[in-house]
Amino acid sequence: MTGAGLLVQVLNGLQYGLLLFLISSGLTLIFGVLGVINLAHGSLFMVGAYVTFLVAKAGAGLWLSLPLALVGGTALGVVLERVLFRRFYHREHLDQVLLTFALILLFEEGRSFIAGNDFHSVPVPASLDWSVPVAAGFSYSAYRLAVLAACLVVAALMFWTIERTRAGSAIRAAAEKPEMVDLLGMDARRIHMLVFGAGTALAMLGGALAAPLYSVYPGMGDGFLIISFVVVVVGGLGSVAGAFWAALLVGLVDTLSKVLLPVGAGAAVYVLMAVVLLWRPTGLFGGARA
Amino acid sequence: MIVAGRGGHLALAALALAIAALPWFGSSYHVGFVATALVAALFALSLQVLVGAVGMVSLGHAALFGVGAYVVWFLTPTGGPAPSIVLTLPTAALAGGLVALAIGGLALRTKGFFFLMTTLAFGQMVFFLFHDTPLGGGADGVFITRPALGVFDWVWEVPRRQRPSVLLWIDLGVLVAAYAGLAWLMRTLFGRALLGIRANEHRMAALGLPTLRYKLSAFVLGGALAGVAGHQWAMTEAFVSPELLGWHRSALALLAIVLGGVGALHGPILGALAFAVLGEVAGLVTERQHLVEGAVILFVVLVLPRGLAGLRLWRPLAHAPAPAPAPTPVPIADPAPAAVVDPA
Amino acid sequence: MTALLRAEGLVRRFGGLAAVGGVSLALERGCLHAVIGPNGAGKSTLVNLLSGELPPSAGRIEVAGQDAAGWAAWRFARAGVGRSFQRTNVLRAMSVFENVRLAAQVGCTPVRRLLRAAAREAEPRRRAEAAMARAGLEGLAARGADILSHGQLRQLEIAMVLATDPSVLLLDEPLAGMGPEEAERIAALLRALAVDHAVLLIEHDMDVVFAVADRLTVMVDGLVLDEGTPAHIRSSARVRDAYLGHAA
């Protein structure tokens, strides 16, 4: 494998990792702040992807599907939180597993009803359908670079929000000490809706961006879901920074191992997770509790 | 987790008899369907040893199930005669137990949600071992010859027409034996210690119990039983594939436990059977099978917090001493996760 | 007399803070040793160190003459060190009797008997009943541990420790939140227990402490301020200024 080829794979790994970050940042916040295990997060990713697919079929481009995914995702997240998840904060985690599994089934049916059960490829937006020369003899898809850039922008916005805004500090406080939220006079319900809405929107945005790269098909959320949980664990529950670095690490390990390892590449990220957990039982950026 | 009392066991025995009588009432399709459901019930029961008895929630249990299934393939010489069940069944249990020992030895260094994820990781590693290599037919899986019912020269050749019924009875027999064994175990000092660990592991350790050994023992036992369930799967379906090892199958077993009720030993049996029936009935009623399944599960989780086993109608039948008001929640993560959102 | 539990130079740091900064003591059979001090003095941390809940940052612990370095909490308990918790730490999902029976079972079941039916094992039942009686829990056997009153929970804590038949008792504020009658009862129990056990008592009720203790250690900010008989402590100027003067 040449240096340029390796560079391409590294870029692929980073791009995959950044998409994972979009999904897992929401997942880690929902688990860290709300204490809810949401298996349906992968389905939300799928919904976002299908939004892009359907919008493209209708003739419009990303300029429509991205805002649609963002706004629709926020709305969907708020609705789900108010109608369902709110009742489950104090339920056992096994019950949450059951609930979110039911949601997966319902989302799959909804997708089947609206868009059928076939595998569909999604065209890359015409404005980005070219290649950027990256190194000797190798060029890289402009769309992939755009996705990379977009995810980095989102990450920067997230960090800025969490560090510099009041809403962000409220979320940080809630993640660190959920019991304190009421005591400090913060509106717990607002925070819950905010976290859930944002998490859902991020997952859907990720899906909307990913559609041209991975195509859309039944159960596409599954693979991303489980890897996102790996990212959350490696990064540490409730830590957005942890999710960021872990996502990049996981993305690189997964992509590079598939290229460099003849056998067992699929297991690479799990080996990574097992090693991290056995070394640091609460993840790389996790709080100091066993 | 309670074990049903005399009344509950009478009800379960009646259910078992009804199932055993199925070949005289149902078609061979129904018989085959129920046989598969019984194997799923056995698998869920094997997971209950971890979840209900000790409070360890694992997402990698299917790895043990699959290992047990693939053992049958390993023990069948290509083109040779079918191996005896007297060989395959104990070997499957042993294989499940040994792999569980290896996984548990490492995974039990973590707790709660992280234990869930560590077991997931190991389960997936085993999955990819079979999926990405030519081992056992690779990703496509492989047909297998069913183990022979007998040993050496004394083999009972089952006529083809009777095969579904015989398989049903064997699966039922193994499930009943497994349940009886576990019911007995939970009443021993060892079983009580396990329940104590589930109720408050920290306190049990402070009292002097070497909890890690007990948890590992339970993990290995659950693994061995999962191996047996896998063996029964191979025997019933005559086909094994890596899908048997994946996290989805582990999640389905968890589902069966929660649906049936984690607070009772027989909960997963009810849950697995109910889920199988639900799928079939939903498929009959509509093409939108998942819609019905999802809706019913949603209903159960919202309305029946203790699962099917917690339904009122079982109460008059159970003579077991009234359990304490609510089973201790089985947390996957600490109640107040001390997480830090730090972007820098 | 050989100490059943001996600690030398125990230190426990959390980050930069030394919760326990160098404490030595020896617990002997027949002696009720009380540790008092203001909140934050490190008393509970000391109990955690002596019971193996926390490993010491420095120092040495000997249990029945054996060096307990690297021991997990369960090994301390197996070696005869029983401890009750300040914040009630029982098996909430079970009945009072099952709580105590399990404690007894842990203390007296060899591995070869593990597969016996629990209901038929006489020894754990007998020990459990005796422990419950001593702790004043007769009649509450069938009640769920999650619906007990606070005082009853404290009694259950004590019963569970007694059921393991330890030689050393580390009791972390056993009287907290109890009414005067119950407290008197438990105080009498403590005196009775001290006869054939080594008892370490952490308590804030000074009347009880001075009534039952044979020796007193006063801790402030992780260090031992003074140590001696109740009479000595009562007349110690150092202690008076630092602690007793500020009211318990």
Side-chain angles (χ1 to χ4, degrees), chain B residues 187 189-190 200 202 324 328, chain C residues 53 89-90 93 105 114 116 118:
Chain B
R187 293 208 162 108
L189 294 170
F190 176 75
N200 189 335
H202 174 227
T328 307
Chain C
E53 285 276 329
N89 194 11
V90 299
Q105 168 188 325
L114 270 180
R116 299 286 179 122

Side-chain angles (χ1 to χ4, degrees), chain C residues 110-131:
Chain C
V111 175
R112 59 185 163 76
R113 290 191 81 88
L114 270 180
L115 292 180
R116 299 286 179 122
R120 276 189 250 129
E121 284 296 290
E123 186 59 18
R125 297 182 72 95
R126 193 190 59 77
R127 292 197 187 195
E129 278 156 12

Side-chain angles (χ1 to χ4, degrees), chain B residues 37-237:
Chain B
L38 287 174
V39 175
L42 179 61
F43 177 48
L45 185 65
S46 76
L47 184 56
Q48 180 74 314
V49 173
L50 278 65
V51 179
V54 188
M56 306 185 286
V57 182
S58 161
L59 252 190
H61 209 59
L64 284 9
F65 177 72
V67 160
Y70 272 92
V71 155
V72 178
W73 175 78
F74 276 120
L75 289 177
T76 311
T78 27
S84 162
I85 191 178
V86 167
L87 173 67
T88 57
L89 187 61
T91 309
L94 188 65
L98 284 175
V99 176
L101 183 63
I103 293 180
L106 291 169
L108 281 171
R109 296 169 62 167
T110 59
K111 282 197 169 75
F113 177 69
F114 296 97
F115 175 75
L116 182 80
M117 296 305 287
T118 309
T119 50
L120 166 70
F122 284 116
Q124 290 300 99
M125 285 186 230
V126 177
F127 167 80
F128 280 109
L129 177 67
F130 283 87
H131 185 271
D132 288 354
T133 65
L135 208 57
D140 293 328
V142 68
F143 284 97
I144 54 166
T145 324
R146 293 193 169 94
L149 298 174
V151 65
F152 302 124
D153 291 327
W154 302 291
V155 170
W156 173 26
E157 291 283 353
V158 182
R160 179 164 291 242
R161 267 187 355 143
Q162 287 185 330
R163 189 180 293 157
S165 311
V166 171
L167 286 174
L168 176 76
W169 291 324
I170 295 178
D171 290 335
L172 181 64
V174 173
L175 177 65
V176 169
Y179 176 81
L182 288 178
W184 165 81
L185 186 70
M186 294 318 299
R187 293 208 162 108
T188 63
L189 294 170
F190 176 75
R192 293 303 181 91
L194 291 182
L195 291 172
I197 293 176
R198 182 183 167 192
N200 189 335
E201 182 180 349
H202 174 227
R203 192 57 200 269
M204 290 304 285
L207 288 169
L209 192 77
T211 54
L212 185 59
R213 285 177 215 175
Y214 280 73
K215 288 165 76 171
L216 186 58
S217 304
F219 195 83
V220 168
L221 176 64
L225 206 52
V228 170
H231 172 272
Q232 289 311 113
W233 177 276
M235 199 170 167
T236 310
E237 309 293 317

Side-chain angles (χ1 to χ4, degrees), chain A residues 19-97:
Chain A
L19 275 178
L20 283 178
F21 169 67
L22 287 188
I23 308 174
S24 36
S25 57
L27 203 55
T28 202
L29 278 180
I30 291 177
F31 196 11
V33 173
L34 306 173
V36 171
I37 293 186
N38 183 15
L39 292 182
H41 217 66
S43 298
L44 299 170
F45 175 82
M46 175 188 73
V47 170
Y50 272 87
V51 163
T52 297
F53 165 63
L54 292 170
V55 162
K57 249 181 57 166
L62 277 183
W63 57 267
L64 178 58
S65 57
L66 287 187
L68 205 54
L70 274 173
V71 172
T74 313
L76 179 61
V78 168
V79 166
L80 280 176
E81 196 272 334
R82 293 196 74 180
V83 170
L84 275 179
F85 283 87
R86 187 168 288 189
R87 301 159 205 262
F88 280 77
Y89 295 147
H90 303 293
R91 293 282 293 266
E92 314 170 14
H93 286 287
L94 280 178
D95 288 347
Q96 295 169 357
V97 165

Side-chain angles (χ1 to χ4, degrees), chain C residues 174-236:
Chain C
L175 301 170
M178 276 194 185
E181 290 169 14
E182 290 172 313
E184 218 177 284
R185 225 184 156 279
I186 300 299
L189 173 64
L190 292 178
R191 267 255 54 93
L193 287 172
V195 171
D196 49 2
H197 296 85
V199 178
L200 180 87
L201 174 70
I202 306 227
E203 249 314 320
H204 280 299
D205 185 336
M206 286 302 118
D207 295 331
V208 169
V209 167
F210 278 91
V212 304
D214 298 314
R215 291 192 71 77
L216 276 166
T217 294
V218 182
M219 279 182 74
V220 177
D221 289 336
L223 293 168
V224 174
L225 184 66
D226 203 349
E227 198 193 337
T229 62
H232 169 87
I233 296 295
R234 210 194 295 268
S235 57
S236 161

